[in-house]
Amino acid sequence: MHERDLGEPYLVNNDQVYITKQPLKEAYNITLSESIDHETKGYYELLHFFYTVSPDDIVFVRMGNFGGALEQCVKICNAIKACQAPVHIIVDAPCYSAGAIISVVGDSLDLKPGTFLMFHNYSGGERGKAGEVRSSVEAHNKNFKKFLEKFCGPFLTKPEINRIINDNDVYIYADDPDLQKRIGRHFK
């Protein structure tokens, strides 16, 4: 493209095209390319960023993530949802587990060729008396299902969420013919 003054019309395939400049303070690029660690202190700066970035800015989050700690995933998802700036998620490499969940909480999603999102049930361990362990697992199951419905629905359908809760993995591939439908119903 040749340099032009912004707002000056030019022709592309006989259509007039205008490029306008919108006021934007900053564009931020964040990369989450490893695993989501259990240590909260490693995410203070990231969480603070999402909670305080200006609505005039724009945020790009590049994902290629192996997943990790659900507790940190919940914090990151809540922070992205509370972010006043638009958050655009770009999946550059396969994302698993917590990485897949974080990938669908922004304002838009772009899965690059050869990538996928893999969703699965949470994993963990409990200790204590049998009744306490059973109560804890039941509470975690109920909470995780609500979490998936809030952050991943309607990108994931109710039957897919139920499959995940019943310990089946769900893969969404970049070349899935229904991907644009999913994106259309999830990101409005």
Side-chain angles (χ1 to χ4, degrees), residues 9-40:
Y10 63 98
L11 295 178
V12 175
N13 295 333
N14 295 322
D15 289 328
Q16 270 196 336
V17 175
Y18 292 87
I19 298 176
T20 59
K21 184 176 180 181
Q22 296 180 3
L24 178 70
K25 290 183 181 176
E26 297 289 337
Y28 296 95
N29 289 291
I30 297 168
T31 301
L32 293 175
S33 62
E34 294 296 323
S35 295
I36 306 301
D37 194 14
H38 287 276
E39 291 295 321
T40 300

Side-chain angles (χ1 to χ4, degrees), residues 36 63 65-70 73 77 94-104 116-123 144 147-148 152 170:
I36 306 301
M63 297 292 297
N65 192 284
F66 296 108
L70 180 60
C73 174
C77 289
C95 286
Y96 304 82
S97 188
I101 294 169
I102 292 168
S103 293
V104 300
F116 60 81
L117 304 176
M118 189 279 280
F119 299 87
H120 70 94
N121 204 354
Y122 70 94
S123 57
F144 187 64
F147 173 71
L148 287 178
C152 298
V170 171

Side-chain angles (χ1 to χ4, degrees), residues 63-64 90-96 109-118 171-176 179:
M63 297 292 297
I90 303 158
V91 177
D92 291 316
C95 286
Y96 304 82
L109 174 64
D110 180 13
L111 268 77
K112 297 298 184 187
T115 65
F116 60 81
L117 304 176
M118 189 279 280
Y171 287 82
I172 308 297
Y173 296 92
D175 62 357
D176 181 339
L179 180 61

